[in-house]
Amino acid sequence: MAKYGSFPGARPRRLRTSPVMRRMVAETRLHPADFILPAFVREGVGEPVPIGAMPGVVQHTRDSLKKAAVEAAEAGVSGIMLFGVPEDTKKDALGTAGTDPDGILQVALRDVRAEVGDDLLVMADLCLDEFTDHGHCGVLDDQGRVDNDATLERYAEMAQVQADAGAHVVGPSGMMDGQIGVIRDALDQIGREDVAILAYTAKYSSAFFGPFREAVGSSLRGDRQTYQQDPANWRESLRELALDLEEGADMVMVKPAGPYLDVLARVADAVDVPVAAYQVSGEYAMIEAAAEKGWIDRDRAILEALTGIKRAGARTILTYWATEVARTLG
């Protein structure tokens, strides 16, 4: 082909010529402080219990959870989000184990806070689904529907108990109308203005939550489509966002992350508070399963997925690979 002057004049490939060049001009960078580690602690077990659908993830004992928290802190991870898994015999219609000061989640919060102090943000999932015998995120009425306002009363009590147990941050994940305002008031009433709220602002009714049900020993009957968001919609996420901010959310979240990068980008563009995204169990499981079969490069796929989430606007990412990736980046 004949050359005309310096054709082609624009050569973007010059900025891709070497690893050091690509690193210098990278528009998005991952850092250990970007990550929060979700972790499960199970009552009444003597050894960590592997989660079949999530290779490499376990239901922790109290001791192994403390070790995992220390490892996360040493790797530079910012926080650990705790989910409690009570014994089946302690589940009931109201999820009372979730507000018992001696329930597994509160015990674990105290354990971890005593172990890491303020070196790691200790966060608590604020929801009833792990503790109810029906597996829903709230209290049911006499027709079997989730009663929004009765559930808010339970959330208020749960927030206070979690704060007393040492949580720096509470993460209301039930998608009840008005939950942020009620929780903020409940915390302020006991003088805990210091406890932050990470609002699960846009939480979709997603098939990608499947492995999580095993992780928390879910007793769910039916589905959560009457309170979690419809995957077809994004505008209602902005309405939920406005309400959460008005009610006092300190940070907001989109969940799942990967299938909802468009929603994440819109939320990030709309706010001046920190935005988080939760790379959920199904996203984790797909990469691990494909890598196990040799179909993809596991490590590259993990970093690519996390980079995409950050590029879309997440300042913070909840991921089961938090400690592993933080060590790699370190």
Side-chain angles (χ1 to χ4, degrees):
M1 178 178 178
K3 296 187 67 175
Y4 300 94
S6 60
F7 175 85
R11 294 185 183 270
R13 286 182 56 188
R14 294 189 186 111
L15 301 183
R16 306 172 198 151
T17 52
S18 68
V20 69
M21 175 67 82
R22 293 191 295 273
R23 184 183 67 192
M24 184 183 75
V25 301
E27 299 171 23
T28 305
R29 300 180 193 277
L30 295 172
H31 187 277
D34 296 336
F35 303 125
I36 296 169
L37 175 68
F40 309 100
V41 57
R42 179 170 171 177
E43 189 172 25
V45 294
E47 297 290 338
V49 179
I51 300 168
M54 300 175 69
V57 180
V58 301
Q59 294 172 327
H60 284 286
T61 66
R62 289 173 61 184
D63 285 340
S64 69
L65 177 65
K66 289 188 288 186
K67 181 181 178 183
V70 170
E71 291 173 348
E74 290 175 346
V77 171
S78 287
I80 185 167
M81 176 69 78
L82 301 186
F83 297 84
V85 185
E87 294 178 359
D88 286 343
T89 57
K90 295 185 179 178
K91 295 182 179 182
D92 60 25
L94 299 178
T96 53
T99 51
D100 180 354
D102 295 319
I104 183 59
L105 182 53
Q106 281 65 252
V107 169
L109 287 167
R110 289 195 292 271
D111 284 346
V112 173
R113 186 65 189 272
E115 193 74 16
V116 299
D118 295 329
D119 292 339
L120 186 71
L121 288 173
V122 180
M123 304 179 171
D125 177 60
L126 201 164
C127 195
L128 293 172
D129 59 322
E130 298 103 304
F131 306 103
T132 54
D133 54 12
H134 48 73
H136 278 285
C137 297
V139 178
L140 303 185
D141 64 18
D142 57 7
Q143 298 184 51
R145 302 170 301 188
V146 174
D147 185 326
N148 191 92
D149 295 359
T151 299
L152 294 181
E153 295 180 18
R154 300 287 297 122
Y155 285 3
E157 183 180 357
M158 199 172 191
Q160 292 176 339
V161 171
Q162 291 179 347
D164 286 343
H168 293 103
V169 180
V170 295
S173 59
M175 291 299 289
M176 296 297 119
D177 294 339
Q179 63 183 13
I180 303 303
V182 166
I183 290 166
R184 184 71 270 160
D185 285 346
L187 291 168
D188 292 352
Q189 284 172 15
I190 62 169
R192 296 309 306 271
E193 296 88 354
D194 59 315
V195 175
I197 299 176
L198 170 56
Y200 285 57
T201 291
K203 182 179 180 182
Y204 284 86
S205 181
S206 174
F208 290 94
F209 296 152
F212 181 87
R213 307 276 157 76
E214 177 189 350
V216 296
S218 175
S219 304
L220 181 64
R221 299 191 293 269
D223 59 52
R224 300 188 172 115
Q225 295 185 63
T226 63
Y227 47 101
Q228 293 178 353
Q229 286 184 240
D230 184 343
N233 298 341
W234 65 265
R235 288 183 178 85
E236 68 177 347
S237 291
L238 298 185
R239 185 182 184 196
E240 294 278 6
L241 175 65
L243 290 168
D244 282 356
L245 293 174
E246 182 181 348
E247 292 173 25
D250 299 290
M251 300 171 278
V252 297
M253 184 197 297
V254 175
K255 179 181 181 180
Y260 297 92
L261 295 180
D262 60 325
V263 177
L264 174 59
R266 287 181 169 109
V267 168
D269 285 344
V271 301
D272 56 4
V273 301
V275 176
Y278 197 144
Q279 186 184 52
V280 301
S281 59
E283 297 176 75
Y284 175 94
M286 287 193 302
I287 289 178
E288 290 288 352
E292 184 179 350
K293 288 185 174 291
W295 292 343
I296 60 173
D297 181 321
R298 176 186 180 275
D299 294 348
R300 285 187 61 194
I302 291 169
L303 290 175
E304 185 174 341
L306 291 170
T307 299
I309 294 166
K310 188 169 183 186
R311 188 182 64 242
R315 187 178 303 180
T316 303
I317 304 171
L318 286 83
T319 175
Y320 299 98
W321 290 302
T323 302
E324 176 187 342
V325 173
R327 286 171 172 162
T328 298
L329 296 173

